[in-house]
Amino acid sequence: MGSLPLEEAVPQPLDPEAFSDDSHAVLNFLVEYYRDVDKYPVRAASLEPGRLRGLLPDAAPEWGQPMDAILEDVRRDILPGLTHWQSPSFFAYFPMNASSAGFAGEMLSAGLNVVPFIWAASPAAAELEGVVVDWMGRLLGLPRGLLFAGGGGGVLQGSTCEAVVCTLAAARDRALGRDGAAVLARLVVYASDQTHVTFQKGARLVGIPPANFRVVATSAASGHGLTADAVRAAVEADVARGLVPLYLCATVGTTGVGAVDPVRELGEVARRHGMWMHVDAAYAGSAAICPEFQGYLDGAELADSVSMNPHKWFLTNADCCCLWVARPRDLTAALSTDPEYLKNVFSCSAQDDKDVIVSAAASAIDYKDWQISLSRRFRAIKLWVVLRRYGAAGLRAHVRSHVTAAQWFEGAVANDERFEVVAPRKFSLVCFRLIRPPGLFSDDTDVNDMNRELLAGVNATGRAFMTHFVVDGKFVIRLAVGGAATEMRHVRDVWDLLQRVAGDVLRRYQS
């Protein structure tokens, strides 16, 4: 047999020299990007759908191309169409942190490229995950019962959405095992009108009828937190109709206004009615590394599960979501599979004690049974690197710096008679709006339009990016402080920008 034709030469994708050259080229590109990230318009400069398709070829290249050429296309065609989430003037949605340690951990994860779906597939990866979720739980002040050390346990998911579907499935199967399959159509899920919509999506995915999802109203009187009385009334009404309460979500730091639900009070209602209670602390859970914020998680010992996202405000590059459960068997009973080809095999000699082998097998965690998918990434090494590199003290300082900046911004808004703070700030999210100018407008409709113009005007400058929410019929602007590169000066700059644009908007309405 002759050799392959030159044009069909097999690539050497892990050649050490090429690996080094390509990696260094990407690293240098990113160093340049982060050095200049504050010079880009924060929001994508081009918002025209189809722009990129018009710039790229219709088909993939036949021949490989050098990394330098690929990166030049990224610079020319991709970067102008990105919203720069790592810009220090990105205040939209919630932060999605990146850091040099998170990047280094991600490089290790992607570079080693192991798939720890069962313990035997990469024992150290599975065991490191158990270590880091216990580390995180202790840092956040979670009750011992949610940690492996106390009989519970944790897993790193890709997102809160995945964690929600897994816990809903566990709650559903627990109820079916208790009451029989016929009860499925009578199961009810409870959340507030501030709860993230992913819970409604998750409930549909696990077979809960949409009509059985209760959106319980909140009000300004409770800081838009879900009250135990409101949940109790909804539950009792459903029980009277022959329905079965299944699942209750308590949120610490809602997406819209950063509201906090009273975990302990809701946990007592859940226990009384046999419901699974999940605590969603996706954003604000990071703040619990600071002792002054741990009180918001008071009552977590009553929860069946708790989740938070280190990829939001904890300097851990996406994706990374911590999920803790009080009874891992409930989760694995709903999610486990046990085909022969995925069983751990423990070798033993004639001298081995069978009890030792059985004990080893029992302690070997197969994380495929804690999640939706079979394959999984080595996320644990990324979070481990972040925790090692910055330490608890550094991470507390990171969170507190943003809380301090948000507190300053809240005070600046409150001291400007043209504005109002719409919801009390608890963490680093400030919700505010322009108020009705004296002698103008008869209702909030025009005030809402005025605030839409203000937000659009600020974002159009490219110097900052914020998003909005509607609460109690009011269009409010959200400033979420939390970017890895965001400092007090950036918060002061966006306030100066807001004041200037607000002046322009008000003059147009008053003319």
Side-chain angles (χ1 to χ4, degrees), residues 470-493:
V470 176
V471 61
D472 296 333
K474 299 175 180 178
F475 181 98
V476 300
I477 301 172
R478 301 168 66 261
L479 182 98
V481 184
T486 301
E487 301 173 359
M488 178 67 84
R489 62 189 175 91
H490 301 109
V491 176
R492 292 181 185 274
D493 286 346

Side-chain angles (χ1 to χ4, degrees), residues 107-143:
M107 281 197 295
L108 286 169
S109 175
L112 295 171
N113 204 36
V114 299
V115 187
F117 46 26
I118 61 173
W119 179 87
S122 273
E127 294 181 14
L128 183 61
E129 189 156 340
V131 169
V132 296
V133 290
D134 268 9
W135 279 11
M136 284 293 295
R138 292 189 184 98
L139 286 172
L140 303 184
L142 293 182

Side-chain angles (χ1 to χ4, degrees), residues 382-462:
K382 175 170 54 181
L383 184 53
W384 184 67
V385 170
V386 169
L387 291 167
R388 293 280 308 275
R389 185 69 181 87
Y390 300 124
L395 290 161
R396 289 188 195 102
H398 166 72
V399 167
R400 284 172 176 151
S401 70
H402 293 145
V403 173
T404 298
Q407 187 176 24
W408 177 88
F409 184 88
E410 180 185 42
V413 171
N415 289 328
D416 189 321
E417 61 183 10
R418 301 173 299 174
F419 291 88
E420 69 172 346
V421 176
V422 177
R425 179 200 53 81
K426 291 182 172 64
F427 305 103
S428 64
L429 171 66
V430 183
C431 296
F432 64 99
R433 69 170 190 159
L434 279 170
I435 60 176
R436 182 183 298 124
L440 287 181
F441 310 148
S442 57
D443 57 41
D444 262 347
T445 301
D446 292 321
V447 178
N448 287 343
D449 289 342
M450 185 171 64
N451 279 282
R452 286 189 182 92
E453 287 190 33
L454 172 59
L455 178 61
V458 169
N459 290 341
T461 68

Side-chain angles (χ1 to χ4, degrees), residues 47 81 187 212 229 290 294 301 325 391 394 399-400 440 459 469 480:
L47 298 178
L187 298 177
N212 287 10
D229 286 343
C290 305
Q294 291 181 359
E301 71 275 8
V325 290
V399 167
R400 284 172 176 151
L440 287 181
N459 290 341
F469 190 63

Side-chain angles (χ1 to χ4, degrees), residues 85-389:
W85 285 65
Q86 304 313 314
S87 167
S89 297
F90 180 95
F91 300 106
Y93 311 112
F94 275 133
M96 186 67 76
N97 276 182
S99 67
S100 59
F103 177 67
E106 184 68 22
M107 281 197 295
L108 286 169
S109 175
L112 295 171
N113 204 36
V114 299
V115 187
F117 46 26
I118 61 173
W119 179 87
S122 273
E127 294 181 14
L128 183 61
E129 189 156 340
V131 169
V132 296
V133 290
D134 268 9
W135 279 11
M136 284 293 295
R138 292 189 184 98
L139 286 172
L140 303 184
L142 293 182
R144 180 178 171 81
L146 286 167
L147 312 183
F148 282 111
V155 56
L156 296 178
Q157 305 274 2
S159 68
T160 298
C161 303
E162 296 168 40
V164 166
V165 172
C166 291
T167 56
L168 279 162
R172 176 202 61 196
D173 283 11
R174 187 175 72 176
L176 297 181
R178 180 188 64 215
D179 300 327
V183 79
L184 180 60
R186 294 189 288 123
L187 298 177
V188 185
V189 174
Y190 301 85
S192 86
D193 56 6
Q194 303 298 312
T195 303
H196 198 282
V197 72
T198 193
F199 285 86
Q200 295 189 42
K201 184 176 184 179
R204 292 200 307 271
L205 287 172
V206 302
I208 305 301
N212 287 10
F213 193 98
R214 299 287 175 267
V215 178
V216 183
T218 63
S219 69
S222 64
H224 295 287
L226 183 60
T227 67
D229 286 343
V231 173
R232 190 178 299 111
V235 169
E236 290 174 355
D238 284 332
V239 170
R241 295 169 54 208
L243 300 176
V244 179
L246 174 71
Y247 186 103
L248 171 63
C249 173
T251 305
V252 176
T254 62
T255 300
V257 296
V260 173
D261 297 337
V263 174
R264 180 170 298 282
E265 295 173 24
L266 295 177
E268 290 169 352
V269 175
R271 285 286 177 95
R272 189 172 302 117
H273 291 276
M275 288 189 285
W276 182 293
M277 185 176 77
H278 179 77
V279 178
D280 171 21
Y283 151 66
S286 295
I289 193 174
C290 305
E292 62 266 30
F293 295 110
Q294 291 181 359
Y296 290 120
L297 290 171
D298 176 56
E301 71 275 8
L302 300 175
D304 295 275
S305 54
V306 175
S307 62
M308 61 81 67
N309 293 350
H311 65 225
K312 277 192 166 64
W313 197 15
F314 210 75
L315 295 178
T316 305
N317 296 41
D319 55 10
C320 188
C321 168
C322 295
L323 170 65
W324 295 270
V325 290
R327 290 173 300 281
R329 72 179 72 88
D330 288 342
L331 200 64
T332 58
L335 303 173
S336 65
T337 53
D338 195 28
E340 190 63 37
Y341 54 82
L342 289 180
K343 290 182 178 178
N344 291 303
V345 177
F346 293 87
S347 60
C348 57
S349 65
Q351 292 76 33
D352 285 327
D353 184 336
K354 182 177 286 188
D355 290 340
V356 173
I357 299 299
V358 170
S359 175
S363 63
I365 298 172
D366 292 341
Y367 272 119
K368 69 178 177 60
D369 299 331
W370 294 57
Q371 62 179 33
I372 299 168
S373 63
L374 174 62
S375 298
R376 64 199 319 271
R377 305 179 65 239
F378 189 7
R379 297 185 183 96
I381 198 167
K382 175 170 54 181
L383 184 53
W384 184 67
V385 170
V386 169
L387 291 167
R388 293 280 308 275
R389 185 69 181 87

